[in-house]
Amino acid sequence: MGFCMTKGHGIGFGKAILFNEHFVVYGIPSIVSAIGNYTVAKVEVYDKPGFKLVDKRPATPKYKEDKLDQQKESFELMFKKMGVDLLKKGVSITLEGNLFAASGIGASAASCVAVARALAEYFNMTLSDEEINEIAFEGEKGYHGTPSGVDNTASTYGGLIWFQKGEKNIIDRIALSNPVEIVIGNTGKVTDTKAAVDGVKQRKEMNQKKYQEVFDRAENIAYLAKRAIQDRSFTNVGKLMNENHKLLQQIEVSSRELDFLVNIARDAGALGAKLTGGGLGGNMIALTPGKELQNKVATAIEKEGFQTVKTVIGASRESVEHI
Ligand code: PMV
């Protein structure tokens, strides 16, 4: 490693999976979007070997404590992948930004991408987005075990992305001329994505025929949704989100709280609503084009005592360049 900059700085987007979380693990196409909220990482010199973490991100209670061991493991994996040696001189890593550290909105991926970018700047490495994405994928393994790579991809590139896991992942940008308003509702329950993914695997093995049908429909929905987004036909996108939620219920990754928030959002006029991310708690997403509808849906959820984030899908790197 050559000389170090005095400071390194990087951002990673939060994300919302619009279609096919869980199915994506098995190679079914998914649609994921960066949201307008992001994590910022700052890397500075630390006068001891190793690393010090200062985590200033807003968070769901207990999230940071619950994830601390996984977070440390994730950092170690990224240091290794980047060839960063902290034995002689350590680094202090500060995490901040306006992305809630919560389950289901890509908090872990956003922090991996932000840290990878900040370390690259600090150690004066010139890395492409593809390389940053690979490092963040390595970091995600600390949290997920065997992540599909969908989260870190959205977090790295921004925008709206068609993602299909394979020997070589297919990563295609879906054009969306303007970002679209969404509401993310937080059940307040911190969940374990790895456990949710393991549960699907077990049930899939035990109910092969039923799961095959559900997986086939999920694949079909991805293609229909891509077309609907490209046509800016948000009523159809919403309907497909509702159907996608049904499939997620069938593979048993929804929860009472998620279904409750999904119904509230629909009753308040959301064009569609579904769980987003690992499920079993964590977050749901409602499609609410226009500020008025967004406020209405967010208020309905908040009235029931749940936290919301009002943000957009399709957030681009350019839109946050000032950070
Ligand atoms: O729980 P999250 O927000 O990190 O999302 C996980 C998405 C899954 O499809 C359930 C798992 C994966 O690795 O893609």
Side-chain angles (χ1 to χ4, degrees):
M1 237 174 307
F3 73 93
C4 301
M5 310 288 276
T6 50
K7 268 189 182 174
H9 168 274
I11 83 148
F13 286 105
K15 69 96 199 11
I17 299 182
L18 298 184
F19 292 95
N20 285 349
E21 45 275 273
H22 286 286
F23 302 109
V24 67
V25 172
Y26 298 87
I28 304 284
S30 63
I31 298 178
V32 61
S33 181
I35 58 171
N37 298 52
Y38 46 81
T39 292
V40 179
K42 289 180 181 156
V43 171
E44 290 166 277
V45 67
Y46 180 46
D47 55 10
K48 293 192 186 119
F51 73 93
K52 179 177 103 170
L53 171 66
V54 183
D55 194 344
K56 296 185 184 166
R57 292 174 299 168
T60 298
K62 274 182 92 258
Y63 178 92
K64 288 183 191 171
E65 294 84 338
D66 280 11
K67 301 277 174 181
L68 193 58
D69 287 344
Q70 295 183 352
Q71 190 178 28
K72 284 187 179 154
E73 158 96 24
S74 156
F75 283 3
E76 297 291 353
L77 288 167
M78 288 197 287
F79 297 150
K80 191 161 169 227
K81 177 88 178 166
M82 294 178 86
V84 163
D85 178 0
L86 302 174
L87 282 177
K88 288 203 186 89
K89 214 183 213 174
V91 287
S92 156
I93 301 176
T94 304
L95 293 179
E96 50 197 37
N98 62 359
L99 177 69
F100 243 80
S103 300
I105 52 172
S108 61
S111 106
C112 289
V113 171
V115 168
R117 288 196 193 283
L119 284 170
E121 188 172 289
Y122 181 77
F123 287 111
N124 217 22
M125 303 172 185
T126 310
L127 300 180
S128 64
D129 276 350
E130 204 180 332
E131 287 166 314
I132 292 288
N133 198 21
E134 276 169 21
I135 295 161
F137 178 64
E138 206 56 33
E140 276 280 89
K141 290 182 187 166
Y143 293 93
H144 285 215
T146 52
S148 66
V150 66
D151 287 13
N152 47 281
T153 299
S155 190
T156 301
Y157 293 96
L160 198 58
I161 288 171
W162 172 271
F163 178 90
Q164 189 170 8
K165 183 180 149 185
E167 217 162 280
K168 189 163 181 355
N169 295 337
I170 297 174
I171 300 172
D172 284 336
R173 215 169 256 294
I174 302 177
L176 184 67
S177 46
N178 291 307
V180 179
E181 288 78 7
I182 56 163
V183 175
I184 293 175
N186 190 346
T187 63
K189 249 175 111 173
V190 178
T191 55
D192 183 355
T193 297
K194 193 170 175 304
V197 170
D198 287 349
V200 173
K201 183 163 181 266
Q202 281 173 20
R203 291 188 293 275
K204 187 172 183 290
E205 276 161 17
M206 282 163 56
N207 306 285
Q208 288 184 12
K209 190 166 173 291
K210 174 187 157 194
Y211 271 59
Q212 191 56 50
E213 280 164 21
V214 178
F215 274 56
D216 287 348
R217 182 59 190 156
E219 178 163 15
N220 206 235
I221 284 181
Y223 288 95
L224 295 173
K226 182 159 114 179
R227 171 100 52 84
I229 293 167
Q230 284 166 337
D231 294 347
R232 286 188 80 82
S233 170
F234 295 121
T235 312
N236 282 336
V237 177
K239 279 187 191 149
L240 291 165
M241 285 170 72
N242 289 342
E243 200 188 329
N244 207 210
H245 185 70
K246 235 184 235 159
L247 300 183
L248 291 160
Q249 285 174 321
Q250 285 168 14
I251 62 168
E252 296 180 44
V253 290
S254 192
S255 70
R256 204 165 40 89
E257 296 89 345
L258 281 166
D259 291 344
F260 179 66
L261 294 189
V262 160
N263 285 332
I264 288 182
R266 289 177 190 159
D267 289 348
L271 300 188
K274 61 181 274 292
L275 71 86
T276 187
L280 302 179
N283 283 278
M284 51 71 70
I285 175 180
L287 185 66
T288 55
K291 287 248 180 307
E292 202 181 318
L293 182 57
Q294 185 184 43
N295 282 329
K296 191 162 172 249
V297 171
T299 306
I301 293 175
E302 283 161 14
K303 260 198 193 144
E304 299 292 335
F306 293 88
Q307 247 173 9
T308 65
V309 176
K310 287 185 271 184
T311 186
V312 290
I313 50 170
S316 67
R317 291 277 294 287
E318 297 70 40
S319 64
V320 292
E321 235 167 26
H322 57 282
I323 303 157

